[in-house]
Amino acid sequence: MESRQSYFDKKQERFQEVCQRMLAERRLIVASNRGPVDYSLTPDGSLRGQRGGGGLVVALSSCSRFIPLTWVATAVSEGDRRLAEEAGGRIRAPLPEQEIYLRFVVVPRSVYHRFYSVFCNPLLWFIQHYMWNTPRTPSLGRAVYEAWEQGYVRVNQAFARAVAEEAGEDGRTPFIFLHDYHLYLAPAEIRQLLPDAPILHFTHIPWPGPRYWSILPEFMRREIHEKICAADIVSFQTMRDVRDFLVCCEEFLKGASVDHRACTVTHDDWLTRVTYYPISIDAAGLSRFAGSREVQRYEESLSMLRREITIVRVDRAEPSKNIIRGFRAYDNLLERYPGLHRHVVLLAFLVPSRAEVSLYRTYTRDLLELAEAINGKYGDDEWRPIHVFYEDNYAQAIAAMRLYDILLVNPIIDGMNLVAKEGPLVNTRDGVLVLSEMAGAHEQLGEYALSICPTDLEGTVRALYAAITMPAEEKRRRAAALRRAIQEEDITFWMQRQFRDLMAVSRRRQ
Ligand code: G6P
């Protein structure tokens, strides 16, 4: 049988060939709100660069192992702003083995606040994750209108200008690869400045159906659909998202013709292809990192906390990740099966996120209180049922994923969820994946996981118990199947399909 290493090597060679062909045609410009490195100011006033957080950055950063790219991103932190001011134009990102030229988009702080903390995260993110409690929220007042005009529209225009300036660096218009809900208007803005550019927009998060989108006023939702359709390819994580997007275009874009079979939208004489590319992880790179000394050290310290059954979860501290319900399910499990006390432990790794948004702060406070309450209810000097690690420490999270017996991934809804892919790849104990059917990853991995409906507390308790009592042979079979599926459709698969489709657009245009 082919060794794991040569399997990865061949895969990478094939992908590298595609990258070479692509680069021979045009350069690649990537744009997203958050860039690959967050710069912070240290107390002595110097700058410290740290890997940016979230699935988007993890996935895209690994692209640059294979292909040099220019990455246009907003100056988010004070450190980013300082650097952008000092360095002017673009800088080379300080990431080993990666050729990334980082170009900051700098907008006034008040504009960024309206964009990020009023429009994108509280409003768009909540719509796209079905998180509103509609009898009470949201109420779209003047602040939201201002956030649209003075925040969202302006930042999208600023991105378009920055992309066009970068594109002017050499003679050929580059491929433009735009990301996520921060940049729905950018395709049309860029199209005006660079009419020939092959543009692909990829949305990392779910796309709801038209009724839920109607939480947004008509002119906003129409403009979002109209402007994103100026891309050549509009893409999502799953086929479900594609279907919902097509129905939305049919409802919101007057005069558009939507072909549900071919998955295309024609509007104002422009044909947009709508498709899906399930995002994944850099399987070869992550396997190497999981074996590194740094990860090993964390594994040693975490193994002190292990019990016969170690349940792990890894999330941004984020309401859509359903952390509170996950803790409640664990509470119910301990209540129902006292025999498990002292034999089980839950390790929760939560990365601080979006503290600017008050709902995130209260959610995090509530989940930390609940963890303490559960520890108070069952724990003693010998045993602490839940350990919460509230920090951004990727190596530690990977170490924890190596040693879980159960990985709980129960989001209310999630575009993909890369933890569901990272965990089974690095795990060494034939651990069981308990996976929400509302995570995009469920389309690829559901067959080998224990599926749960995320609001179904009882179902989650039962799934956890089924995982605890699962025969070793079945665990082995499922874990191996998960690993295989993840290795086959890894990040190179995600990129390769998109690059090929972009090249096809480019050839048609020549
Ligand atoms: C998700 C989104 C990304 C976002 C990330 C982190 O993965 O799809 O676009 O960057 O969360 O969120 P943040 O607001 O910190 O950038």
Side-chain angles (χ1 to χ4, degrees):
M1 218 176 94
E2 192 177 29
S3 78
R4 206 194 233 218
Q5 194 48 49
S6 72
Y7 169 81
F8 282 139
D9 289 347
K10 277 194 201 140
K11 230 173 154 122
Q12 296 200 358
E13 269 166 35
R14 273 199 304 275
F15 179 57
Q16 246 138 14
E17 279 167 29
V18 175
C19 291
Q20 290 314 321
R21 264 189 281 137
M22 178 159 175
L23 281 180
E25 286 187 25
R26 301 163 190 261
R27 278 188 310 131
L28 177 63
I29 295 187
V30 165
S32 65
N33 172 51
R34 194 171 284 282
V37 188
D38 283 341
Y39 290 91
S40 53
L41 289 168
T42 59
D44 68 3
S46 58
L47 284 171
R48 193 168 72 98
Q50 216 199 346
R51 211 182 71 118
L56 178 155
V57 163
V58 173
L60 277 180
S61 301
S62 49
C63 285
S64 56
R65 255 192 347 105
F66 305 96
I67 187 164
L69 49 89
T70 301
W71 193 326
V72 180
T74 337
V76 175
S77 63
E78 283 310 308
D80 293 352
R81 285 177 175 275
R82 243 269 299 281
L83 187 63
E85 209 173 275
E86 280 171 8
R90 37 159 148 137
I91 58 156
R92 170 99 190 240
L95 298 168
E97 286 185 53
Q98 296 180 15
E99 202 178 334
I100 301 182
Y101 298 93
L102 183 56
R103 156 77 190 238
F104 282 119
V105 175
V106 187
V107 294
R109 285 183 186 79
S110 61
V111 170
Y112 190 69
H113 171 78
R114 285 175 167 143
F115 163 79
Y116 184 81
S117 303
V118 183
F119 200 79
C120 289
N121 288 327
L123 189 54
L124 273 182
W125 180 274
F126 273 53
I127 290 177
Q128 296 196 242
H129 290 83
Y130 295 87
M131 272 159 58
W132 290 112
N133 174 9
T134 48
R136 290 179 184 276
T137 57
S139 296
L140 309 189
R142 189 163 149 196
V144 170
Y145 275 58
E146 282 170 5
W148 168 263
E149 285 151 22
Q150 306 298 327
Y152 198 67
V153 172
R154 281 182 62 184
V155 172
N156 272 264
Q157 289 168 343
F159 260 90
R161 283 194 299 275
V163 166
E165 275 165 29
E166 284 297 319
E169 290 280 299
D170 69 18
R172 291 165 310 164
T173 318
F175 291 107
I176 316 282
F177 196 9
L178 302 173
H179 291 268
D180 235 358
Y181 57 103
H182 311 92
L183 298 179
Y184 291 146
L185 311 181
E189 304 291 344
I190 296 173
R191 178 71 63 214
Q192 281 193 358
L193 303 172
L194 303 169
D196 294 335
I199 304 177
L200 186 152
H201 185 288
F202 182 83
T203 300
H204 292 247
I205 63 176
W207 201 270
R211 288 201 176 165
Y212 208 74
W213 268 110
S214 299
I215 284 176
L216 272 191
E218 195 273 339
F219 74 97
M220 291 185 195
R221 58 179 194 255
R222 180 174 31 82
E223 202 163 323
I224 285 175
H225 287 79
E226 225 165 60
K227 292 207 160 165
I228 197 174
C229 279
D232 295 282
I233 302 174
V234 171
S235 55
F236 300 93
Q237 302 276 23
T238 67
M239 190 56 207
R240 280 190 203 173
D241 302 311
V242 169
R243 277 197 294 266
D244 281 328
F245 181 78
L246 291 172
V247 180
C248 283
C249 288
E250 211 156 36
E251 291 221 4
F252 301 151
L253 301 181
K254 295 210 173 59
S257 115
V258 175
D259 184 333
H260 290 268
R261 286 191 140 214
C263 296
T264 56
V265 178
T266 311
H267 183 59
D268 283 345
D269 292 329
W270 185 264
L271 180 120
T272 316
R273 193 178 148 216
V274 185
T275 186
Y276 68 106
Y277 309 105
I279 202 167
S280 193
I281 52 171
D282 174 7
L286 179 60
S287 299
R288 260 202 315 279
F289 180 59
S292 69
R293 191 64 208 112
E294 189 186 1
V295 171
Q296 262 171 29
R297 269 201 296 273
Y298 281 113
E299 228 180 308
E300 281 154 24
S301 59
L302 288 174
S303 61
M304 322 265 205
L305 303 177
R306 272 192 47 208
R307 296 275 156 159
E308 264 155 74
I309 301 139
T310 304
I311 306 175
V312 167
R313 69 174 307 139
V314 179
D315 310 90
R316 275 188 307 108
E318 152 71 58
S320 66
K321 302 291 182 187
N322 209 13
I323 302 162
I324 290 186
R325 230 184 247 102
F327 285 0
R328 287 214 188 105
Y330 182 61
D331 182 358
N332 284 7
L333 181 84
L334 295 179
E335 197 167 273
R336 192 163 316 162
Y337 301 103
L340 287 176
H341 294 191
R342 292 166 179 249
H343 299 286
V344 62
V345 68
L346 170 62
L347 308 181
F349 297 84
L350 306 179
V351 179
S353 185
R354 303 184 189 162
E356 314 76 15
V357 182
S358 71
L359 229 134
Y360 280 65
R361 289 197 299 275
T362 44
Y363 188 77
T364 305
R365 190 199 57 213
D366 291 352
L367 73 85
L368 291 172
E369 276 175 18
L370 178 58
E372 272 324 298
I374 294 172
N375 283 335
K377 190 164 160 194
Y378 305 100
D380 53 31
D381 292 347
E382 296 282 293
W383 175 56
R384 202 176 149 80
I386 305 188
H387 293 263
V388 178
F389 297 77
Y390 182 58
E391 58 186 303
D392 186 1
N393 187 337
Y394 188 63
Q396 178 174 257
I398 295 296
M401 290 193 234
R402 279 173 75 75
L403 46 78
Y404 70 75
D405 298 290
I406 300 172
L407 180 66
L408 178 60
V409 181
N410 66 326
I412 296 167
I413 186 166
D414 210 337
M416 176 52 62
N417 196 300
L418 291 183
V419 171
K421 296 189 170 181
E422 289 167 329
L425 183 83
V426 302
N427 184 255
T428 56
R429 300 179 50 78
D430 291 335
V432 181
L433 173 64
V434 175
L435 180 60
S436 160
E437 58 198 8
M438 297 298 279
H442 195 270
E443 240 178 54
Q444 291 163 293
L445 307 179
E447 204 182 330
Y448 317 114
L450 295 183
S451 303
I452 50 169
C453 159
T455 48
D456 180 3
L457 200 64
E458 177 60 20
T460 308
V461 177
R462 290 183 188 196
L464 289 173
Y465 193 69
I468 291 171
T469 51
M470 188 180 281
E473 182 43 40
E474 186 179 346
K475 288 208 281 190
R476 202 162 25 247
R477 186 179 56 74
R478 285 175 184 260
L482 282 169
R483 249 190 326 271
R484 213 172 315 116
I486 294 161
Q487 281 166 355
E488 268 162 26
E489 299 195 347
D490 70 348
I491 192 78
T492 58
F493 176 80
W494 180 71
M495 287 186 284
Q496 198 157 311
R497 289 182 51 216
Q498 298 183 76
F499 290 179
R500 287 214 166 112
D501 291 349
L502 267 172
M503 281 193 277
V505 170
S506 155
R507 292 201 186 117
R508 275 201 301 276
R509 197 150 290 159
Q510 270 159 11

